[in-house]
Amino acid sequence: MKVKRTELTWWERLYLPTLINGFKVTLRHFFSWKRSEVYGDKQKEFTAKTTMQYPEEKWDVPTGYRGAPYLVKDVDEKTKCVSCQLCEFICPPKAIRITPPGDSGVVDREGAEKMPEEFEINMLRCIYCGFCQEVCPEEAIFLLEDYAINGETREELIYNKGKLLALGGADKRAYNHHVQCDVDEGIKKWETKTREAGEQPAFH
Amino acid sequence: MAAKRTEPAVETVTVKVDGCAVEVPRTMPNWQGKPEPTTVLQACKQAGIEIPHYCYHPKMPVAGNCRMCLVHVAMPGRPGPDGKAPTNEDGSPKVFPMQLPYEPGTPRGVIGCATGIVPGMEIYASSPETKEMRKAVLESLLINHPLDCPICDQAGECKLQEYSVDHGQPESRFAEVKVHKPKAVDLGPRITLDAERCMLCTRCIRFTASVVGDDALGIVNRGSYNAISSYPGQPFDNNYTLNTVDICPVGALTSDDFRFQMRVWFLKETKSLCTGCGTGCNTVIGSRENRMYRYEPRQNDAVNSCWMCDAGRLDYKWIGRDDRLGKLHGPRGNTTWPSALREISGHLAKAAEGSVAIVASARQTNEELFLLNKLAKRYKALTDSVPRNGEADHLLVAGDRNPNTTGAQLIGVTTQRVGSKLSAIVKGIVSGKIMTLIVYGEDVTQHGIDAKLLGKLKMLIVSDILPNATTRKADYLLPGCSHAEKRGTFTNVKGRVQKFTKALEPSGDAMPEWEVLHELVHNVTGLDGFNSIEGLFNQMADEVKAFKAAGLTWASLGDNGADVKL
Amino acid sequence: MPKETKLVLKHADEAGYTNDIGCYLKHGGYRTLKKAFRLKPKKVKGAVVTPQEAIRREVLASGLRGRGGAGFSCGMKWNFVNRKSGKPIYLICNADESEPGTFKDRQIIYKDPHQLIEGMILSCYANDVKLAYIYIRGEFPEGAKILNHAINEAKANGFLGKGICGTKYNLEIHVHRGAGAYICGEETGLIESLEGKRPYPRIKPPYFPAALGLYMCPTIVNNVETLCNVRNVLAMGGNAYAALGTPNNTGTRIVSLSGNVKRPGYYEIEVGKATLGELIFHKNFGHGLHDGRKLQAIIPGGSSSKVFRAGEKFDIKSKDKRGEVVEQKLDLLDIPYDFDTLMKCGSMSGSSAIIVLDDSVDIIEVLGNLSDFYAHESCGQCTPCREGSLWMAKALKRMRSGQARKGDAGYLRHIAHNIQGRTVCAFGEACSWPVLSFVDKFRDDFEQRGAEDETRLAKRGAEATTR
Amino acid sequence: MSLEVPKKLEREINRLVKNYPEKRSASLMVLHALQEEFGYISTEAEEWAAARLELKSINIHELVTFYPMLRQQDPGRTVVRVCRTLSCALAGSAKLHGHICKRLGLDADAPGLQRTKDGKYGVEYAECLASCGTGPVMMCNDDFYENVSNDGADEILKKYDE
């Protein structure tokens, strides 16, 4: 089907009116007394200014913001990811690449069986959709608050396991989630399991 | 009704499955092939309805312990004192849905895998009663299951996952502490056991005891604490252990070789053949991004049933080895296919009859051997192959360790006594009569034609996959493909011609041998063959006597192959 | 007046009666056996009836029902045996008495073993059995010794071995000891155990013992008391035996009475000739409850039977002698102790073991105790019972430790319902019936416990957070 | 390390094996005989039995782990088994078990068989010993005791003390 475009008048083709309209909006904001809600506390002391001195000033990231995906650690500062590769599978732009550990399991704690040998996220590819966070059965990957991802080379922007874990850290959000759901035992899943197994009555 | 019968009549029984009358044979072969009364499960299968099951396996004795195949059925009434079966008001035979003794009204299921069908029986394969039974069994199976699907190699091809989705319930009512059992137990050199995931269907025990004849596994402890085990200190180690990994419906038995290597949903599955011996077990290659991760047996009752040996299963690592020949070499270093083929064709065109000899390999496909034989005929060349023998066993392993000796014999590349003409080739080289030697896929220095002798040749053309003493002496080194990287057919020791397909892209300059040979044969003999494997096979099938007698075509091979008379 | 009618235990408790063959012979032992071996083939209505056939007919005519638990007709069981297979027929005496509450076979084996041996020889002769086993539970080491001794004595007296009583009939009986597994009481589990495997009951179909039993040969498995009664049937004649008890519930039966009664013990009664109330309260039997106690519940036929709550009433239908259906209203204590009435009342006579529970016992404790038993004894072969039996035990353990929930009655019912009718053998019913019946009949107890615990735990939780 | 089986026991086992048309059937009886001789069934005993009956060791191991009466470790010279099932429980078997454990210095609440340090006694609960009319009942090795009171238990245990 062909859609017929409407012809622009010469006045419209001049683009000046549109330009002026744009400036009008800018100026209205410039002289506005109303503070933007987006910048919240950062601007408490100012009365009129709505422009922020980025990057010296940073805004408060609202809850639910989907920033860069990082790997988080558990309360014992140990890796949570078990290399199930579901995020790799679900990732629409194929930004995630996991190297499974092989028979050795590459584990950093007793009771665990499997962790990734390598975990890479290509931040250039990532579209911040949050599927990885949603699909993760271990709650090991979260879209945290980082939004300014930059680097000088493409290689630099492929984050590896070490970097992702360091950036994710023992994340409060992951921890809070467990506490909110009243499963504080869950964050010590391996410990709980080992304890239960020890308490089990032997047969006979 | 006088129906014409061309086949011997099969006695049939009519039963109703979900309200539809189905006529099924009265008996069907059991796991050993002996006729036994058709079971409810088999009858439903014939009716196109799959009854979920764990412990039942068509190639093993029936155990009936998982209870997953419970179905609610109704039996026709027994004839009364007057000799007449009870009927409904409309005169149709009356059936009685099975119910619990002591508790009339509560439906009772029968296990589909062991209950024989009775004429007039009604099977409620998808009634609410049946579904409820499945739900109950699945709930029981899951209460003590560790639910560690994220780290379980079976996830994605796990029957527990599949049935839970299809027949289970979303939530469990289990509110107690789970039973803990040993995890990551080293059951044998190739197998790891996770007893918590095990659902004790005993498939592995029955397989190794009944099919392999090595009664190495058993259940220890009692009740809920039951666990599969080998005898402490006696590892589970026969040549068929890895089949237990395939038949394990859950992730209790996992292969050390595949353990934590790749999630199965990433794997591309390609139908292939095992090249470990002359049996030609049908396989499936699991690969991802041009890397092969595993072999799995593919069912073919005429060849390997559902099994394959461990040796064959692990015989794939060489395909991805780092030292694979990837560069096309000519006398003046690296070259390209067009120029190499031009030069070789040019050389061969000048060669006299009898001055060329060919050592082929019984690891090559029928098509390749056929093309080599065409070359050989042009020069009246001596051709032979190299024997590889080992010990045969009672199940699958053949004494002949070459996958295509029979093919080589039928096509005429070698005689019944494989390797008997090698000495004549040696003599020819020594006498200087043979000036050009074409070697395909064998290290001839291991078979009487040593490096010094090779130096006497005017021209040595070698095609191989991995480097060896012969490839190092080659004037022209043509990197070839493994069977996983090309298409073709093998003829197994019993004369079954089977095809395999391509799973991986060859690396570097490597090219399927048949494509190279096809070009060479065309250049040298002028014969115009076919540039597709299908066409090539059909041409071969028309020219090779045994193949022609069997009326083979590429299409007629299907997935399971076809037999030729030996 | 209800009283004991002693047939099997006629001499057992007499003063001076010992378990050696001399004493047994003095009391008329092995006389029936000798009589049976003197039987000659007879012509009845033109057909030749062999002595073996004659014995089998006699047993069928007696209406003798199995005393092990299911109450299946003994004569019928024998008739199912495949005699045309060409394979040897085996007979196994099931002396794996493990049903909680039952202790009748112990009395027979310890006090009158020769009666059992004689019954076995007769049964073997009637079924052309050349090799028979007594599977005795491991917890009866003394019993095994007594039986072995008795077998040797019988051999020495020519009742066993080669050429019994001067005939060409040979028979060997061996004693096989179990090692502490309730499941070995299930006939196919017993057969597997006897074959030296784990006693996993076989699936039926196809492995009915009558066709594919021990070593895949036709096999008869009978309870100790049943086999003793075979001897009594033949001693007094099938019809005379059938005259004892009530129609379809013939003969005598040893009732094991235990629990909260003044005089627990075993009492041999004519089947159906005493009521539950009489057995518990009559001075000839249980002699009533302990002083000041009230009846709370009765487990009428071994721990796997469904429990009766005190004060229950039943509407049952039965056929009278003319075949007319009669409706009857029965109080719990008026239920005649037989096979059929108990079944009509929703339970069973099982192995005829009555466990009496008075109002001092905690119903949840009782059920927990039984569930622990079943969780320990489940063989673990098939899924519902393997997982469900321990699940129930764990749930009850939690409830007993003060963490019951309001919904636990339904929860337990759900688990038990998952098991019953879905297992390989009757153990599934055995472990789920107590739970089902206790929960159904004492639902208020379960709910009350749940409510109490939940309130207490909630209170404690609230205190903990405010602190 | 292989098992040294006395000649007498070997003869006894040969006799037992002959009682059955198939050797495997004798498994339980052979294991009983071995346990009677050695007190428990060691790995060597399992292997010996398997070889004697022409079975695989796992076949025997399956049985030993299934039956509670077959011991894999030394249970103590005298094994005291107190019935814990319903009728005996109603008659006070828990009290009896507790009393015996206290007397022998064992933990009554610990699951499974508890062995005294000197190896003289092993105490455990057993499922129904089939004498429900005379509870509580217990067994000391092969000897059976009914209507056992706490004092009665003391008397009985004295017999096994030396």
Side-chain angles (χ1 to χ4, degrees):
Chain A
M1 196 178 79
K2 263 191 177 168
V3 181
K4 214 181 161 220
R5 281 176 180 269
T6 39
E7 289 262 314
L8 296 179
T9 61
W10 74 266
W11 177 245
E12 280 168 334
R13 265 183 290 161
L14 204 59
Y15 296 113
L16 267 175
T18 351
L19 216 61
I20 292 162
N21 271 337
F23 279 125
K24 260 158 71 184
V25 173
T26 314
L27 283 170
R28 197 170 67 236
H29 279 281
F30 191 79
F31 292 110
S32 166
W33 291 89
K34 204 175 147 203
R35 273 178 283 136
S36 165
E37 284 168 19
V38 176
Y39 301 135
D41 290 348
K42 282 266 166 27
Q43 297 192 339
K44 242 186 283 176
E45 58 255 50
F46 307 116
T47 45
K49 202 175 77 176
T50 52
T51 311
M52 221 175 146
Q53 297 301 315
Y54 184 81
E56 285 78 21
E57 279 181 57
K58 298 249 166 70
W59 58 309
D60 280 337
V61 179
T63 44
Y65 181 78
R66 296 204 304 238
Y70 294 146
L71 291 175
V72 300
K73 296 178 190 168
D74 70 359
V75 286
D76 300 326
E77 295 276 309
K78 298 280 168 62
T79 316
K80 287 176 94 181
C81 174
V82 297
S83 179
C84 75
Q85 294 180 283
L86 278 175
C87 49
E88 182 178 0
F89 182 71
I90 203 81
C91 182
K94 299 201 185 304
I96 300 176
R97 172 128 214 128
I98 296 169
T99 311
D103 198 12
S104 67
V106 193
V107 289
D108 63 2
R109 118 190 80 195
E110 202 191 343
E113 278 189 79
K114 188 188 180 192
M115 278 167 194
E117 183 170 299
E118 188 47 271
F119 193 116
E120 290 173 349
I121 302 182
N122 187 340
M123 293 297 174
L124 291 167
R125 283 185 160 212
C126 177
I127 56 168
Y128 309 99
C129 64
F131 279 11
C132 50
Q133 174 181 330
E134 203 165 316
V135 83
C136 183
E138 300 291 326
E139 295 174 332
I141 190 166
F142 277 86
L143 269 71
L144 296 181
E145 298 166 351
D146 282 10
Y147 48 86
I149 309 293
N150 49 52
E152 287 173 2
T153 60
R154 287 178 175 275
E155 288 70 39
E156 208 179 299
L157 285 167
I158 300 174
Y159 287 14
N160 65 10
K161 183 171 92 169
K163 193 165 181 185
L164 290 167
L165 278 168
L167 287 167
D171 179 59
K172 219 168 55 211
R173 263 168 72 185
Y175 186 86
N176 286 346
H177 175 81
H178 284 294
V179 177
Q180 277 156 21
C181 297
D182 197 26
V183 284
D184 51 310
E185 297 246 303
I187 42 175
K188 296 206 169 194
K189 184 170 133 185
W190 304 103
E191 256 181 61
T192 314
K193 223 180 148 171
T194 317
R195 197 195 66 237
E196 274 180 14
E199 285 168 1
Q200 179 177 298
F203 174 72
H204 273 197
Chain B
M1 287 231 304
K4 271 188 203 163
R5 283 206 179 109
T6 46
E7 288 171 28
V10 179
E11 205 184 340
T12 57
V13 170
T14 305
V15 294
K16 266 189 185 171
V17 180
D18 278 344
C20 300
V22 199
E23 203 174 324
V24 294
R26 180 180 288 277
T27 61
M28 285 180 83
N30 70 357
W31 69 283
Q32 288 167 311
K34 288 180 199 146
E36 258 179 27
T38 303
T39 62
V40 168
L41 194 142
Q42 287 165 332
C44 288
K45 196 171 180 185
Q46 297 237 331
I49 293 174
E50 189 76 27
I51 304 285
H53 57 268
Y54 290 115
C55 66
Y56 168 75
H57 190 283
K59 302 289 173 193
M60 281 191 282
V62 170
N65 59 32
C66 74
R67 317 307 284 178
M68 192 61 217
C69 64
L70 279 172
V71 278
H72 190 216
V73 299
M75 292 290 192
R78 285 176 201 280
D82 53 352
K84 282 181 201 157
T87 53
N88 292 319
E89 278 171 13
D90 60 355
S92 57
K94 195 173 179 178
V95 292
F96 298 88
M98 285 191 69
Q99 48 193 19
L100 287 182
Y102 296 98
E103 253 185 61
T106 313
R108 180 199 176 107
V110 297
I111 45 171
C113 64
T115 309
I117 49 166
V118 176
M121 185 176 187
E122 290 190 6
I123 302 167
Y124 308 122
S126 30
S127 69
E129 290 82 7
T130 304
K131 285 183 179 161
E132 201 270 328
M133 289 170 201
R134 288 177 191 159
K135 256 188 205 154
V137 172
L138 275 170
E139 187 179 18
S140 301
L141 283 172
L142 282 168
I143 58 166
N144 287 316
H145 189 84
L147 300 174
D148 52 3
C149 307
I151 59 162
C152 177
D153 281 325
Q154 189 83 358
E157 52 183 12
C158 171
K159 286 281 174 207
L160 194 55
Q161 285 183 331
E162 286 168 20
Y163 290 157
S164 293
V165 172
D166 292 345
H167 308 289
Q169 53 192 31
E171 276 183 52
S172 167
R173 300 183 65 168
F174 189 70
E176 325 301 331
V177 174
K178 283 180 193 259
V179 173
H180 292 285
K181 294 182 195 174
K183 287 184 88 74
V185 182
D186 201 7
L187 201 61
R190 292 175 291 284
I191 299 220
T192 299
L193 162 74
D194 188 308
E196 281 188 349
R197 294 179 197 154
C198 175
M199 54 152 67
L200 295 154
C201 68
T202 69
R203 272 185 176 188
C204 51
I205 299 178
R206 281 175 287 145
F207 169 77
T208 194
S210 306
V211 180
V212 184
D214 173 27
D215 198 355
L217 297 179
I219 298 178
V220 294
N221 296 343
R222 191 205 267 192
S224 278
Y225 301 97
N226 270 358
I228 300 284
S229 173
S230 62
Y231 189 69
Q234 284 178 10
F236 178 43
D237 186 12
N238 59 51
N239 197 19
Y240 292 92
T241 58
L242 284 171
N243 289 302
T244 59
V245 175
D246 300 332
I247 53 177
C248 182
V250 291
L253 297 175
T254 49
S255 154
D256 287 350
D257 180 57
F258 185 63
R259 187 170 158 86
F260 300 160
Q261 295 290 352
M262 188 45 66
R263 307 318 305 269
V264 297
W265 52 78
F266 288 118
L267 297 182
K268 182 182 79 175
E269 298 196 324
T270 313
K271 286 170 187 158
S272 188
L273 296 173
C274 174
T275 56
C277 74
T279 304
C281 289
N282 291 211
T283 62
V284 171
I285 289 176
S287 61
R288 184 193 183 198
E289 293 178 352
N290 228 29
R291 184 178 152 192
M292 182 168 165
Y293 284 92
R294 68 173 179 188
Y295 256 143
E296 280 191 306
R298 173 163 58 95
Q299 183 170 359
N300 185 346
D301 290 350
V303 181
N304 58 316
S305 187
C306 301
W307 325 120
M308 75 185 289
C309 73
D310 288 6
R313 191 190 292 251
L314 299 177
D315 182 27
Y316 69 86
K317 309 237 154 144
W318 53 273
I319 294 172
R321 239 161 74 177
D322 291 340
D323 59 347
R324 270 285 294 272
L325 297 174
K327 283 269 180 286
L328 177 62
H329 263 287
R332 291 175 302 279
N334 289 350
T335 178
T336 58
W337 281 108
S339 54
L341 282 171
R342 203 172 45 237
E343 287 164 27
I344 298 171
S345 307
H347 171 82
L348 285 177
K350 283 180 273 170
E353 282 192 357
S355 72
V356 178
I358 298 175
V359 178
S361 171
R363 295 192 286 203
Q364 283 182 277
T365 67
N366 290 325
E367 294 77 9
E368 290 157 12
L369 293 167
F370 172 69
L371 289 169
L372 272 175
N373 204 37
K374 282 233 177 296
L375 267 188
K377 274 186 189 151
R378 159 73 177 74
Y379 297 103
K380 299 210 164 57
L382 280 170
T383 62
D384 208 343
S385 177
V386 168
R388 244 182 219 93
N389 289 311
E391 230 172 272
D393 74 356
H394 65 292
L395 204 56
L396 289 177
V397 180
D400 179 1
R401 293 294 154 81
N402 278 321
N404 201 21
T405 307
T406 316
Q409 288 163 344
L410 291 177
I411 288 160
V413 171
T414 177
T415 56
Q416 280 302 310
R417 281 178 52 226
V418 181
S420 57
K421 281 197 257 167
L422 284 174
S423 55
I425 295 177
V426 172
K427 255 184 227 158
I429 300 174
V430 172
S431 70
K433 194 173 168 231
I434 293 173
M435 287 178 286
T436 302
L437 183 65
I438 302 174
V439 179
Y440 258 78
E442 295 288 358
D443 181 7
V444 288
T445 60
Q446 305 279 319
H447 302 282
I449 312 178
D450 58 23
K452 218 170 92 197
L453 216 50
L454 290 177
K456 280 194 72 173
L457 290 164
K458 243 170 101 185
M459 170 72 72
L460 175 61
I461 302 163
V462 180
S463 170
D464 214 325
I465 296 171
L466 295 166
N468 57 42
T470 309
T471 61
R472 279 188 281 277
K473 297 291 286 182
D475 294 310
Y476 283 95
L477 178 55
L478 319 174
C481 289
S482 71
H483 65 290
E485 294 155 340
K486 62 188 177 192
R487 295 201 290 167
T489 58
F490 288 136
T491 312
N492 82 354
V493 283
K494 288 181 183 155
R496 195 170 185 87
V497 182
Q498 308 185 92
K499 69 182 176 199
F500 56 87
T501 45
K502 176 176 166 180
L504 310 169
E505 281 302 325
S507 60
D509 292 338
M511 213 162 55
E513 288 87 335
W514 68 267
E515 289 183 23
V516 177
L517 282 169
H518 168 253
E519 191 92 8
L520 271 183
V521 169
H522 172 72
N523 292 350
V524 173
T525 66
L527 288 173
D528 204 4
F530 294 82
N531 45 14
S532 73
I533 196 85
E534 292 89 346
L536 181 57
F537 180 86
N538 290 345
Q539 190 187 7
M540 172 180 70
D542 204 41
E543 289 180 26
V544 176
K545 237 200 281 169
F547 292 172
K548 188 167 184 164
L552 296 186
T553 61
W554 179 267
S556 74
L557 288 184
D559 285 339
N560 289 344
D563 284 321
V564 298
K565 260 221 179 81
L566 295 185
Chain C
M1 178 148 120
K3 60 173 189 339
E4 285 195 75
T5 310
K6 292 203 170 182
L7 208 59
V8 176
L9 297 176
K10 195 168 178 185
H11 306 297
D13 290 320
E14 276 174 21
Y17 188 79
T18 57
N19 57 22
D20 63 297
I21 198 163
C23 186
Y24 186 63
L25 286 169
K26 234 185 284 166
H27 286 78
Y30 291 110
R31 209 176 281 163
T32 319
L33 184 70
K34 287 178 198 154
K35 198 174 79 187
F37 277 104
R38 283 198 297 272
L39 285 177
K40 291 278 169 313
K42 255 192 286 187
K43 261 199 165 173
V44 179
K45 290 178 193 161
V48 180
V49 176
T50 59
Q52 286 92 336
E53 178 68 34
I55 298 177
R56 295 203 294 266
R57 284 187 184 180
E58 206 70 26
V59 171
L60 189 64
S62 74
L64 174 64
R65 292 173 71 163
R67 305 296 197 231
F72 192 76
S73 159
C74 177
M76 208 98 101
K77 198 180 220 174
W78 290 6
N79 278 352
F80 286 148
V81 171
N82 181 356
R83 294 172 211 284
K84 290 182 191 126
S85 65
K87 292 189 261 189
I89 301 170
Y90 294 105
L91 184 139
I92 306 170
C93 167
N94 184 348
D96 190 80
E97 178 175 55
S98 333
E99 178 80 14
T102 319
F103 49 102
K104 60 190 176 66
D105 297 343
R106 175 189 278 273
Q107 316 308 327
I108 300 168
I109 293 165
Y110 280 66
K111 293 172 182 164
D112 203 355
H114 280 287
Q115 185 180 191
L116 171 62
I117 307 274
E118 187 178 358
M120 274 186 82
I121 301 169
L122 285 163
S123 307
C124 289
Y125 179 59
N127 292 292
D128 297 312
V129 175
K130 304 281 189 305
L131 186 55
Y133 292 96
I134 302 175
Y135 189 102
I136 185 165
R137 66 178 305 203
E139 286 87 344
F140 290 175
E142 194 62 35
K145 275 181 205 151
I146 293 170
L147 282 172
N148 270 324
H149 182 70
I151 287 169
N152 288 336
E153 283 181 326
K155 255 188 201 167
N157 282 274
F159 299 126
L160 262 179
K162 290 211 164 109
I164 298 170
C165 294
T167 62
K168 281 182 189 158
Y169 180 64
N170 307 331
L171 172 67
E172 288 292 339
I173 298 180
H174 298 296
V175 175
H176 184 92
R177 285 185 65 199
Y182 173 76
I183 200 66
C184 292
E186 203 276 350
E187 56 180 359
T188 52
L190 185 150
I191 288 170
E192 286 278 306
S193 176
L194 190 50
E195 286 186 6
K197 301 171 190 156
R198 281 165 77 89
Y200 281 180
R202 295 175 177 170
I203 46 173
K204 291 152 276 185
Y207 302 109
F208 292 107
L212 301 167
L214 189 62
Y215 312 122
M216 290 299 137
C217 299
T219 303
I220 301 166
V221 184
N222 276 140
N223 180 257
V224 172
E225 193 186 344
T226 317
L227 288 168
C228 291
N229 272 319
V230 169
R231 172 205 172 261
N232 294 325
V233 164
L234 297 175
M236 59 201 288
N239 291 330
Y241 187 86
L244 291 171
T246 52
N248 203 29
N249 296 272
T250 57
T252 66
R253 179 150 212 218
I254 309 170
V255 180
S256 315
L257 185 65
S258 65
N260 304 126
V261 282
K262 270 195 190 142
R263 220 174 58 139
Y266 50 91
Y267 304 99
E268 191 170 358
I269 58 163
E270 278 185 58
V271 184
K273 287 288 174 70
T275 64
L276 266 179
E278 286 165 346
L279 282 166
I280 295 167
F281 291 101
H282 199 277
K283 64 176 176 10
N284 284 352
F285 302 111
H287 221 287
L289 307 177
H290 297 293
D291 296 334
R293 290 287 166 206
K294 274 195 299 209
L295 184 66
Q296 181 167 215
I298 302 171
I299 301 174
S303 65
S304 1
S305 61
K306 291 192 174 177
V307 71
F308 289 134
R309 186 175 183 155
E312 263 190 271
K313 288 183 174 41
F314 306 93
D315 289 316
I316 59 164
K317 283 177 191 165
S318 51
K319 279 184 184 166
D320 67 1
K321 277 174 194 160
R322 282 164 297 173
E324 278 172 30
V325 178
V326 192
E327 280 193 39
Q328 229 181 328
K329 247 197 172 33
L330 269 182
D331 273 341
L332 169 62
L333 295 181
D334 295 336
I335 298 175
Y337 199 75
D338 63 15
F339 294 96
D340 294 340
T341 321
L342 279 166
M343 208 189 290
K344 279 178 199 151
C345 295
S347 189
M348 61 175 186
S349 65
S351 54
S352 72
I354 301 173
I355 304 175
V356 182
L357 305 172
D358 68 20
D359 60 350
S360 69
V361 299
D362 175 3
I363 281 301
I364 296 170
E365 249 342 284
V366 169
L367 184 59
N369 182 296
L370 290 180
S371 289
D372 282 348
F373 172 81
Y374 289 111
H376 184 260
E377 297 300 339
S378 166
C379 74
Q381 179 184 206
C382 64
T383 310
C385 159
R386 173 181 68 234
E387 307 294 348
S389 58
L390 188 67
W391 187 2
M392 294 192 294
K394 277 183 175 169
L396 280 154
K397 187 164 191 177
R398 172 171 56 73
M399 295 170 76
R400 286 151 86 190
S401 65
Q403 292 178 58
R405 305 173 305 175
K406 269 183 217 151
D408 274 341
Y411 177 69
L412 279 172
R413 214 182 181 291
H414 171 77
I415 310 171
H417 181 75
N418 275 359
I419 306 172
Q420 68 161 351
R422 288 164 196 183
T423 51
V424 170
C425 71
F427 189 96
E429 281 82 53
C431 71
S432 55
W433 279 346
V435 174
L436 285 173
S437 60
F438 270 84
V439 169
D440 287 348
K441 294 184 178 174
F442 295 91
R443 202 173 184 108
D444 35 350
D445 289 47
F446 285 85
E447 276 166 2
Q448 195 193 334
R449 179 74 58 92
E452 280 169 14
D453 285 356
E454 275 191 7
T455 323
R456 198 186 58 249
L457 289 176
K459 213 170 130 194
R460 196 184 296 165
E463 273 170 22
T465 43
T466 49
R467 210 173 290 149
Chain D
M1 213 172 66
S2 62
L3 192 75
E4 288 280 322
V5 175
K7 279 268 152 356
K8 196 178 152 217
L9 178 65
E10 203 158 355
R11 275 199 301 277
E12 167 70 8
I13 285 171
N14 289 343
R15 188 187 66 79
L16 286 171
V17 173
K18 268 191 218 134
N19 286 351
Y20 302 91
E22 285 179 21
K23 279 187 180 157
R24 185 172 187 169
S25 279
S27 306
L28 261 185
M29 294 304 278
V30 169
L31 289 173
H32 271 302
L34 288 171
Q35 178 157 291
E36 216 154 281
E37 176 76 25
F38 298 106
Y40 67 103
I41 295 160
S42 59
T43 331
E44 292 80 38
E46 279 181 0
E47 279 163 16
W48 187 90
R52 175 68 187 81
L53 300 170
E54 290 161 27
L55 296 171
K56 291 285 181 72
S57 308
I58 184 72
N59 301 136
I60 297 296
H61 192 60
E62 277 189 306
L63 301 183
V64 174
T65 54
F66 186 91
Y67 293 103
M69 280 182 74
L70 303 177
R71 314 283 177 183
Q72 287 174 274
Q73 277 104 34
D74 184 6
R77 206 179 61 201
T78 305
V79 184
V80 181
R81 312 178 69 206
V82 182
C83 175
R84 60 151 289 280
T85 317
L86 188 54
S87 297
C88 284
L90 291 175
S93 63
K95 230 188 271 170
L96 174 66
H97 178 260
H99 175 77
I100 294 171
C101 285
K102 204 174 145 197
R103 189 191 135 102
L104 299 174
L106 298 171
D107 178 9
D109 297 325
L113 180 121
Q114 300 298 308
R115 217 171 74 118
T116 54
K117 280 196 189 108
D118 55 8
K120 269 189 180 171
Y121 288 97
V123 182
E124 68 173 358
Y125 271 130
E127 296 296 349
C128 190
L129 293 176
S131 192
C132 313
T134 52
V137 300
M138 66 179 218
M139 289 179 82
C140 295
N141 290 342
D142 282 358
D143 308 325
F144 179 70
Y145 300 97
E146 311 169 290
N147 290 321
V148 186
S149 62
N150 287 358
D151 295 343
D154 292 341
E155 285 296 307
I156 293 164
L157 287 183
K158 256 184 222 158
K159 278 196 262 177
Y160 297 90
D161 269 342
E162 66 280 345

